[in-house]
Amino acid sequence: MEIGQLIITLLIGAVCGWLGSKIFKGSSSGLLWNIIIGIIGGFLGGWLVGGVLGLGFKNVWVSAIVYGVIGAIILLWLWSLITKKK
């Protein structure tokens, strides 16, 4: 992976994680957390929406952001279940 691709991946991951935390109203722990959630969410959303459901977009940027946000929301929801205080 080239440095330019890495920077774009990190930026898209940060945006997706930030958007996911705003939509889910989850607790955001900063830029690094948003990047991690966004990148992992991108893989999860891509697998779920693109692979399992077979939905896609013609624009690669739009699909990367939509998949990432959907995946980030799912991850934040799962995280809230795991860390839920009893």
Side-chain angles (χ1 to χ4, degrees):
M1 179 180 282
E2 294 180 19
I3 190 72
Q5 291 173 324
L6 178 63
I7 291 171
I8 290 171
T9 301
L10 293 175
L11 288 174
I12 290 175
V15 169
C16 292
W18 179 79
L19 284 172
S21 69
K22 294 301 177 189
I23 293 169
F24 184 71
K25 304 288 185 198
S27 61
S28 176
S29 297
L31 181 62
L32 182 59
W33 178 251
N34 287 342
I35 291 172
I36 292 168
I37 290 296
I39 291 172
I40 296 171
F43 286 111
L44 176 64
W47 172 77
L48 181 65
V49 178
V52 174
L53 299 177
L55 302 175
F57 299 92
K58 290 185 180 182
N59 189 320
V60 175
W61 296 103
V62 172
S63 63
I65 292 172
V66 170
Y67 294 165
V69 171
I70 290 171
I73 291 170
I74 293 169
L75 286 175
L76 290 169
W77 174 70
L78 291 172
W79 184 254
S80 72
L81 292 177
I82 293 170
T83 60
K84 189 177 193 180
K85 293 182 181 178
K86 297 179 182 177

